[in-house]
């Protein structure tokens, strides 16, 4: 009966991955909309990716690794999730631009590039976790520690430091 709706296993897999990816993007977009702080919206991207895939690495591999392995022979239809991913990035970029105008975010940063870079690096954390679980390679850095360190680095790199006292304003770069 499955073949009534899908011509092949690949087409079925593509439909399942597309549905789950759309749910992931819609959830992330809602979460970003609920965050007011521009830097926290970047942190949300990282924590959202990690939370979504840390206990479902098979889905992560199906969505992001398997198409790369198959190269030209296997393509997912991402016509619905592509625009949603773009909307997530645009929402975070908008918050960062607002943060730049309000003096909360460094103005010399490209807000869109930062949003894309942070989201892609969040997927790098999951890629690493996926590889470590398969290879059982020993490491002293677990996913939680790396995620926390990455989020701390984002905060320090993106947020403008506000002086504790008005007298300290001269020392803030």
């Amino acid at each position: 009966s499955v073949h009534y709706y899908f011509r092949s296993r690949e087409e079925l897999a593509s439909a399942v991955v597309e549905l789950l990816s759309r749910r992931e993007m819609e959830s992330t977009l809602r979460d970003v909309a609920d965050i007011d702080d521009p830097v926290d919206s970047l942190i949300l991207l990282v924590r959202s990716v990690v939370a979504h895939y840390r206990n479902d690495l098979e889905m992560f591999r199906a969505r992001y690794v398997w198409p790369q392995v198959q190269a030209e022979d296997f393509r997912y239809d991402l016509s619905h999730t592509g625009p949603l991913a773009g909307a997530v990035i645009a929402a975070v970029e908008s918050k960062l631009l607002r943060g730049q105008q309000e003096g909360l975010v460094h103005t010399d940063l490209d807000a869109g590039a930062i949003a894309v870079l942070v989201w892609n690096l969040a997927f790098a954390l999951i890629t690493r976790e996926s590889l470590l679980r398969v290879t059982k390679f020993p490491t002293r850095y677990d996913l939680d520690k790396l995620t926390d360190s990455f989020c701390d680095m984002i905060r320090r790199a993106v947020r403008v430091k506000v002086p504790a006292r008005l007298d300290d304003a001269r020392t803030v770069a």
Side-chain angles (χ1 to χ4, degrees):
S1 66
V2 171
H3 286 287
Y4 179 78
Y5 297 102
F6 303 100
R7 292 176 284 204
S8 66
R9 288 182 300 184
E10 290 81 10
E11 193 174 292
L12 172 61
S14 179
V16 169
V17 167
E18 193 275 330
L19 173 69
L20 295 174
S21 296
R22 186 169 12 125
R23 287 182 184 166
E24 171 197 355
M25 300 297 164
E26 288 170 347
S27 173
T28 302
L29 190 57
R30 280 190 305 273
D31 291 346
V32 167
D34 291 342
I35 299 267
D36 189 50
D37 184 272
V39 178
D40 286 347
S41 69
L42 284 172
I43 302 305
L44 173 95
L45 287 182
V46 174
R47 297 208 181 275
S48 176
V49 167
V50 170
H52 189 82
Y53 287 114
R54 77 175 311 132
N55 295 318
D56 195 1
L57 291 174
E58 292 77 19
M59 178 59 195
F60 171 77
R61 291 180 194 115
R63 171 69 173 90
Y64 295 100
V65 178
W66 185 245
Q68 296 173 37
V69 171
Q70 294 298 310
E72 298 296 321
D73 299 334
F74 189 70
R75 294 281 181 217
Y76 290 130
D77 176 13
L78 301 177
S79 59
H80 294 94
T81 56
L84 284 171
V88 169
I89 295 300
V92 173
E93 179 183 19
S94 175
K95 290 176 185 291
L96 290 171
L97 289 170
R98 190 196 77 231
Q100 287 175 330
Q101 292 171 348
E102 295 172 356
L104 302 172
V105 173
H106 289 287
T107 57
D108 58 341
L109 299 175
D110 180 324
I114 293 297
V116 169
L117 182 62
V118 165
W119 203 12
N120 286 319
L121 289 173
F123 282 101
L125 289 170
I126 291 297
T127 300
R128 179 184 183 278
E129 182 69 10
S130 177
L131 180 63
L132 288 175
R133 287 198 194 168
V134 169
T135 63
K136 310 243 186 302
F137 187 79
T139 178
R140 63 187 176 130
Y141 297 105
D142 68 6
L143 181 59
D144 291 329
K145 184 174 183 175
L146 287 176
T147 301
D148 291 344
S149 294
F150 183 44
C151 291
D152 289 343
M153 183 183 72
I154 292 167
R155 282 186 193 94
R156 287 192 304 273
V158 175
R159 189 180 306 279
V160 171
K161 291 182 181 161
V162 178
R165 298 179 316 166
L166 195 54
D167 296 342
D168 296 336
R170 290 174 271 114
T171 62
V172 176

